[in-house]
Amino acid sequence: MRLGSRTFDFAHDVAVMAIVNRTPDSFYDRGRTFALGAAVTHALAHVAEGADIIDVGGVRAGPGEHVSRSDEIDRIAPFVKAFREQSDAPLSVDTFRADVARAALDAGADLINDVSGLADPEIADVVAAYPDAALVVMHPGGPPRTRPFRPSYEPDCTTAVTTACGELADVAQQRGVAGDRIIVDPGHDFGKNTFQSLEVTRRLPELVALGYPVLVALSRKDFIGEALGGLGPDERLEGSLACAALSVALGARIVRVHDTRATVRAVRTTQAVVGMRLPPSALRGLE
């Protein structure tokens, strides 16, 4: 899959996707990168630390203040243009609105990361109109920007997630997105309790079997904090790295993260252990 300046062979490659929030109320960075200059500087720092893809969002994924379409475009389009002036790294935009996706792609984005489960199906039409663009479809487990309340799935969460992701990919293709331009995301914590997010993680091979690259967005999420006894976002790094490494071993090919340098090292080590990547330096016992 070619994304901007990079071509990924997801049979062997794992991409680290670094998060940039142009929001004043993000759950982890709490607005530290809301200002345009701060967001661009943060994105370039991610690239310097080894990020393969930058993912920018202009609306908090969870409940929060209403952000109009025009305000979201005003947060996203200038960032894309400013980042493009300084880097050719692949750029993803996290949005569930078709007109925001269009503005982002016009400005130079390569990938649309829709966390709503095609709540606005026209977003697939927009991506289809840009042959070099790609689309992430995610299992949201509910309407955009809502929190789950006692979610239940039949026959079980992983089966439901896998079925839904396959159906979303089918819809995207019916609307013109090429099958080799589609990525699927199980949507950890979206419409899921902690037990369900943990289950989806250990059963990732079922989602991988659909044949699309699998993206996991695990970084510092609530299910990790609860698995560690109720730790807050600032204390979830080690759990995030453990889940990232396990997910790669189970077949995930894109890992969306806050902590680029640490995750790159964890992911590259995992690739070496499972035989996906040769160690670039392997002199021990040979000299």
Side-chain angles (χ1 to χ4, degrees):
M1 180 181 290
R2 185 166 183 82
L3 295 174
S5 63
R6 292 280 304 277
T7 298
F8 298 94
D9 175 3
F10 287 121
H12 307 284
D13 297 337
V14 177
V16 173
M17 173 187 276
I19 299 166
V20 176
N21 291 308
R22 283 223 66 201
T23 58
D25 55 352
S26 56
F27 88 97
Y28 175 58
D29 64 36
R30 302 178 184 90
R32 289 193 295 270
T33 58
F34 181 44
L36 177 58
V40 173
T41 297
H42 190 56
L44 294 172
H46 277 307
V47 173
E49 291 180 352
D52 300 292
I53 304 169
I54 298 297
D55 185 57
V56 62
V59 177
R60 177 177 173 165
E65 66 173 28
H66 173 72
V67 180
S68 69
R69 283 173 166 77
S70 60
D71 284 348
E72 187 180 0
I73 290 172
D74 287 344
R75 293 177 180 182
I76 294 300
F79 171 87
V80 175
K81 292 176 182 176
F83 180 76
R84 271 286 161 261
E85 291 175 355
Q86 301 188 60
S87 176
D88 65 352
L91 183 57
S92 168
V93 170
D94 178 344
T95 186
F96 55 87
R97 291 166 166 164
D99 44 1
V100 178
R102 184 178 295 107
L105 293 170
D106 280 343
D110 306 298
L111 173 66
I112 298 301
N113 182 12
D114 173 24
V115 300
S116 74
L118 298 181
D120 180 355
E122 290 186 8
I123 204 166
D125 303 337
V126 170
V127 173
Y130 295 77
D132 293 331
L135 176 66
V136 178
V137 292
M138 191 193 82
H139 177 267
R145 309 199 71 196
T146 60
R147 292 201 183 282
F149 179 71
R150 298 183 179 178
S152 62
Y153 296 95
E154 293 296 336
D156 58 73
C157 183
T158 302
T159 301
V161 166
T162 301
T163 300
C165 284
E167 291 171 348
L168 288 168
D170 288 344
V171 170
Q173 290 182 79
Q174 290 163 12
R175 300 185 83 104
V177 182
D180 61 1
R181 309 300 293 167
I182 295 173
I183 297 161
V184 297
D185 177 354
H188 287 83
D189 273 8
F190 283 82
K192 300 168 188 69
N193 61 34
T194 289
F195 295 106
Q196 291 161 341
S197 288
L198 292 169
E199 175 201 305
V200 166
T201 305
R202 62 177 169 266
R203 291 174 59 183
L204 272 179
E206 295 173 42
L207 187 60
V208 172
L210 289 176
Y212 303 99
V214 172
L215 181 155
V216 290
L218 311 151
S219 184
R220 296 184 181 269
K221 285 195 168 177
D222 285 350
F223 83 96
I224 292 173
E226 292 190 352
L228 293 171
L231 297 182
D234 291 342
E235 299 181 285
R236 298 172 184 172
L237 173 59
E238 296 89 348
S240 298
L241 296 175
C243 285
L246 178 62
S247 295
V248 169
L250 293 174
R253 291 298 175 258
I254 305 174
V255 183
R256 184 176 181 270
V257 304
H258 297 91
D259 307 279
T260 294
R261 180 180 286 114
T263 307
V264 167
R265 290 175 177 174
V267 165
R268 302 300 175 237
T269 304
T270 303
Q271 289 179 274
V273 170
V274 301
M276 294 174 62
R277 176 177 182 267
L278 292 175
S281 174
L283 301 177
R284 179 175 172 79
L286 301 177
E287 60 177 15

